[in-house]
Amino acid sequence: MEEYIVSARKYRPTTFDSVVGQLALTTTLKNAVKSGKLAHAYLFCGPRGVGKTTCARIFAKAINCLTPTPDGDACGHCESCQAFNEQRSFNIFELDAASNNSVEHIKTLMEQTRIPPQVGKYKVFIIDEVHMLSTQAFNAFLKTLEEPPQHVIFILATTEKHKILPTILSRCQIYDFERMTVQGTIDHLKYVAEKEGIQYEEQALAVIAEKADGGMRDALSIFDQAVSFCQGNITYQRVIEDLNVLDSDNYFRLIDLAVDNKVSDMMLLLNDIINKGFDGGLLTLGLAKHVRNVLVAKDPQTLPLLEVSQQQAERYQLQAKKCETRFLYQALRLLNQCDINYKQSGNKRLLVELTLIEIAQITQPDDTPGAGRSPKRLKSLFKQLLQQQTKPQNAAPQVAVAKPVAAPVHTQIRKKDTQQPTPNTQQPTPNTQHPTPAKAVSGRPQLKKPIGFSFSSLLNASKETDGDNDQSSTSNTQHSTDKTFTDQELQLQWLSMCNRMPQKFVGIATRLKNLNPRITDFPAVEVVVENSLVKEQIDQIHTKILNTLKLHLHNSSITLNVLVAEHEGPVRIMNRREQFELMEKENPSVAKLRERFQLELA
């Protein structure tokens, strides 16, 4: 049985022309060999698996070739080339700096530089992973690197150029190797597959090329793995199954469903993806990359930025025609925010679901049920309603003039109406909480009043800004803005106030959350604390707390009284979780509610 050799070794380039994806660099090296203008030190740097060490060996072989070709390649037949091919050349030395990084190893290497070559012109020292050398080894190597013997050439290779001392970098010719493009990797995999007699689908090779992330050695290793799994017939479905890659069709379907606002179908598709064992964070990253590719495919000028196969690029172009640019921008922003918050989230699946719901609502019209409105839109909506209600009210006295009356009496009626503009507003009835003229003139369906918001307070505020300084009107305005509230609304606003407190009040905010304010004699509010220390801290911000409650409960008559609890022995204060557990024991329905809706206590 013939010995098996992995593709990365079997198809390792042996000439400059067979190097994939580094045309400019190999041309420079060939021209240096042809002209004989060789530097004493070279530095090859770049990502893993792009051909740094391979090019160093090809270059070292070409330098010592006795009969090089006119193109600058080694002939492969002379004594030096044969010795190199059979790995018995004494002119080319390879040192792994990862395991030979001490000063002693460098000193031993420097001693070998004194001996001239027996066959060929130069002694070539290839030091791989040179950034692993210690600082002392670099300093010991520095003098020899600056003024080496005439027959010595150093070729250094590294993946992390920034770790090399600047004094070393300044003494070398630096060659930066590029990452392999997806299309270049696909073409090379096609060449290897044809050589090996393996059937393939181009889309399957594209998946391998994307998985390799710019490294040809990684691509060939994955290729060998796929060949073993597919048994000589590489198909797209078998490759994504072997590599555990999420099918790109899922991304196309998610975007199509989001454009059509089909949230339910998106949730079902997400559930199928998670049930197959894929992580929600992986889905978020993949979908963000997909949306970026759709955005790139929208403009023909940016189409070359797509690192995908030709067939996949056409699919991106088709979907780009269906998606608006605004939708793609906002989807990218939401996915990026989801990726940032994913690791810190306690309920990761819920975070991904909310993100997909928000993406599906981007293209949803504002008047569609379930469509959210931003605070700015709500604010502008309230302003428009306010203007529509105040204008008819101010024009009410003039509407009465339009009634058909006799000509002699017309002037008297008009004068009487203009002299008494506010007879009704000064004598309010008990049921005049909302202004009736606006309803009578507007003729539009009234919006439901939101919690904590009063249209009448806005109307009365507008009257005050118009210059109405009448005392009876002022008392009426204050009376209309003082709303009644319940203990539940009080506790809700109390907790909201604690959550909005600045960072410097985080300690007192935590203590306030554990308190339960209650209404004693409306609108008097009472809070009982455990000790005088907490009372002193509350007294320092007493005015701010009271003003906040007045503002959000819409009652300017609220008073706040802080009392210290009287108890014989020490009493332990329960936190929110312990309070919830006590509620579950007293009422089993609370536990059933939490299990049914899969709720978690924040």
Side-chain angles (χ1 to χ4, degrees):
M1 182 177 180
E2 186 179 357
E3 183 181 359
Y4 173 74
I5 302 176
V6 296
S7 300
R9 291 180 54 197
K10 185 175 182 179
Y11 293 96
R12 191 167 196 166
T14 57
T15 62
F16 286 119
D17 293 334
S18 59
V19 177
V20 180
Q22 312 294 341
L23 180 61
L25 191 144
T26 54
T27 302
T28 304
L29 294 178
K30 285 196 297 183
N31 292 337
V33 174
K34 285 192 297 184
S35 60
K37 297 179 180 179
L38 302 175
H40 64 278
Y42 295 87
L43 176 62
F44 293 168
C45 51
R48 69 184 189 278
V50 294
K52 298 184 297 296
T53 306
T54 299
C55 285
R57 293 176 179 176
I58 296 173
F59 187 47
K61 181 179 177 181
I63 288 173
N64 280 320
C65 181
L66 302 178
T67 57
T69 62
D71 294 335
D73 276 318
C75 66
H77 304 293
C78 63
E79 177 62 26
S80 177
C81 293
Q82 290 181 358
F84 177 83
N85 294 336
E86 297 172 3
Q87 298 181 357
R88 55 180 177 82
S89 176
F90 291 100
N91 294 341
I92 300 174
F93 298 89
E94 289 192 31
L95 178 69
D96 181 19
S99 56
N100 302 281
N101 54 5
S102 63
V103 179
E104 289 74 14
H105 293 110
I106 294 298
K107 288 183 177 179
T108 303
L109 182 67
M110 295 304 101
E111 292 176 357
Q112 296 180 2
T113 61
R114 301 177 183 177
I115 305 173
Q118 301 299 319
V119 178
K121 302 178 181 178
Y122 300 97
K123 267 197 168 183
V124 183
F125 294 87
I126 301 174
I127 305 178
D128 203 4
E129 302 297 337
V130 69
H131 65 275
M132 299 293 289
L133 290 177
S134 62
T135 305
Q136 294 78 8
F138 269 128
N139 292 330
F141 180 50
L142 186 60
K143 185 62 177 177
T144 306
L145 184 64
E146 183 178 8
E147 296 179 357
Q150 294 293 329
H151 59 270
V152 173
I153 292 179
F154 291 103
I155 303 178
L156 314 179
T158 180
T159 56
E160 302 182 27
K161 182 175 66 173
H162 60 278
K163 291 186 178 181
I164 300 177
L165 297 179
T167 51
I168 299 293
L169 295 176
S170 62
R171 288 167 172 79
C172 301
Q173 283 189 10
I174 301 175
Y175 290 82
D176 290 311
F177 283 69
E178 301 177 357
R179 291 175 65 253
M180 298 294 173
T181 63
V182 173
Q183 190 59 45
T185 305
I186 293 174
D187 294 339
H188 189 66
L189 292 179
K190 287 181 181 179
Y191 168 77
V192 175
E194 292 172 357
K195 284 284 187 180
E196 295 292 327
I198 297 172
Q199 298 179 358
Y200 61 87
E201 292 181 1
E202 185 173 352
Q203 194 173 0
L205 299 183
V207 173
I208 296 175
E210 293 176 11
K211 186 78 172 179
D213 194 22
M216 186 60 72
R217 181 172 60 240
D218 294 350
L220 291 172
S221 299
I222 299 173
F223 176 81
D224 290 342
Q225 177 182 343
V227 170
S228 299
F229 183 76
C230 300
Q231 296 181 352
N233 185 13
I234 303 178
T235 61
Y236 175 76
Q237 292 296 333
R238 299 282 285 173
V239 167
I240 63 174
E241 181 183 356
D242 179 36
L243 301 181
N244 196 28
V245 176
L246 185 59
D247 192 354
S248 60
D249 289 340
N250 293 304
Y251 300 135
F252 283 100
R253 289 176 58 193
L254 281 173
I255 297 302
D256 288 338
L257 294 173
V259 172
D260 296 335
N261 311 127
K262 296 181 179 179
V263 178
S264 301
D265 294 339
M266 294 179 69
M267 294 297 101
L268 293 175
L269 181 56
L270 173 64
N271 185 65
D272 292 340
I273 293 173
I274 294 177
N275 289 339
K276 292 179 182 178
F278 293 100
D279 184 52
L282 178 64
L283 173 65
T284 303
L285 291 175
L287 188 58
K289 182 179 180 182
H290 176 83
V291 175
R292 176 259 180 194
N293 290 341
V294 175
L295 184 62
V296 167
K298 205 165 185 62
D299 190 349
Q301 295 181 354
T302 58
L303 195 60
L305 297 178
L306 287 177
E307 295 185 349
V308 295
S309 62
Q310 185 65 29
Q311 182 181 1
Q312 200 78 344
E314 294 175 357
R315 293 190 65 186
Y316 280 120
Q317 285 181 296
L318 291 176
Q319 191 169 69
K321 295 178 181 178
K322 298 173 55 178
C323 302
E324 297 180 359
T325 305
R326 180 182 64 87
F327 166 79
L328 297 175
Y329 283 150
Q330 295 190 22
L332 273 178
R333 178 180 58 81
L334 292 172
L335 290 169
N336 181 60
Q337 192 65 32
C338 178
D339 179 47
I340 294 173
N341 299 330
Y342 188 80
K343 292 182 179 179
Q344 301 174 355
S345 175
N347 193 341
K348 296 181 173 20
R349 175 165 181 168
L350 179 61
L351 177 63
V352 177
E353 289 177 345
L354 288 176
T355 303
L356 294 180
I357 292 173
E358 289 180 319
I359 293 174
Q361 290 183 341
I362 294 174
T363 58
Q364 192 169 8
D366 292 339
D367 56 353
T368 304
R373 291 182 183 267
S374 65
K376 292 184 179 179
R377 292 182 180 178
L378 287 172
K379 187 176 181 181
S380 62
L381 175 63
F382 293 148
K383 286 184 177 179
Q384 293 175 2
L385 291 174
L386 179 61
Q387 293 174 359
Q388 293 172 2
Q389 293 180 353
T390 53
K391 287 181 180 179
Q393 184 180 8
N394 295 333
Q398 298 179 2
V399 175
V401 183
K403 296 180 180 179
V405 294
V409 190
H410 179 76
T411 307
Q412 296 179 2
I413 295 176
R414 181 181 181 89
K415 184 176 180 180
K416 185 183 294 186
D417 291 340
T418 55
Q419 288 178 354
Q420 298 177 0
T422 58
N424 295 328
T425 57
Q426 294 181 358
Q427 298 177 1
T429 61
N431 295 326
T432 56
Q433 291 294 331
H434 300 284
T436 56
K439 293 184 179 180
V441 180
S442 174
R444 294 181 175 85
Q446 298 295 316
L447 294 177
K448 292 183 180 180
K449 183 178 68 174
I451 296 175
F453 188 87
S454 175
F455 281 96
S456 60
S457 63
L458 287 177
L459 291 176
N460 291 323
S462 65
K463 292 178 184 177
E464 293 178 357
T465 57
D466 290 339
D468 186 5
N469 295 324
D470 188 78
Q471 294 181 357
S472 61
S473 175
T474 304
S475 62
N476 180 37
T477 303
Q478 183 177 2
H479 176 71
S480 62
T481 56
D482 288 348
K483 302 299 179 182
T484 59
F485 55 89
T486 62
D487 282 331
Q488 184 178 2
E489 293 176 346
L490 172 63
Q491 293 177 4
L492 176 63
Q493 295 300 335
W494 182 274
L495 185 60
S496 300
M497 175 191 67
C498 297
N499 292 331
R500 291 194 303 268
M501 282 189 174
Q503 184 66 28
K504 61 180 180 180
F505 295 121
V506 63
I508 185 63
T510 304
R511 295 183 179 92
L512 291 177
K513 287 181 180 179
N514 294 323
L515 302 179
N516 293 317
R518 62 187 183 90
I519 303 172
T520 54
D521 185 11
F522 187 86
V525 177
E526 182 181 278
V527 177
V528 180
V529 299
E530 290 298 321
N531 52 61
S532 58
L533 178 62
V534 180
K535 183 179 184 302
E536 292 177 0
Q537 293 178 345
I538 296 178
D539 289 340
Q540 295 176 0
I541 57 174
H542 184 277
T543 305
K544 296 181 180 179
I545 296 176
L546 184 59
N547 292 336
T548 302
L549 295 177
K550 290 180 179 180
L551 176 63
H552 291 279
L553 292 174
H554 300 280
N555 194 313
S556 59
S557 303
I558 297 176
T559 59
L560 178 63
N561 187 20
V562 183
L563 301 178
V564 179
E566 298 180 358
H567 46 79
E568 298 178 356
V571 179
R572 181 174 177 272
I573 301 177
M574 294 190 298
N575 56 27
R576 292 290 180 181
R577 183 173 293 277
E578 292 172 343
Q579 292 177 3
F580 180 76
E581 292 175 354
L582 182 60
M583 290 173 57
E584 283 186 328
K585 291 180 180 179
E586 296 177 353
N587 190 355
S589 300
V590 177
K592 295 180 180 179
L593 180 66
R594 180 179 62 83
E595 294 177 356
R596 175 170 297 181
F597 291 96
Q598 298 181 355
L599 302 177
E600 293 184 0
L601 186 62

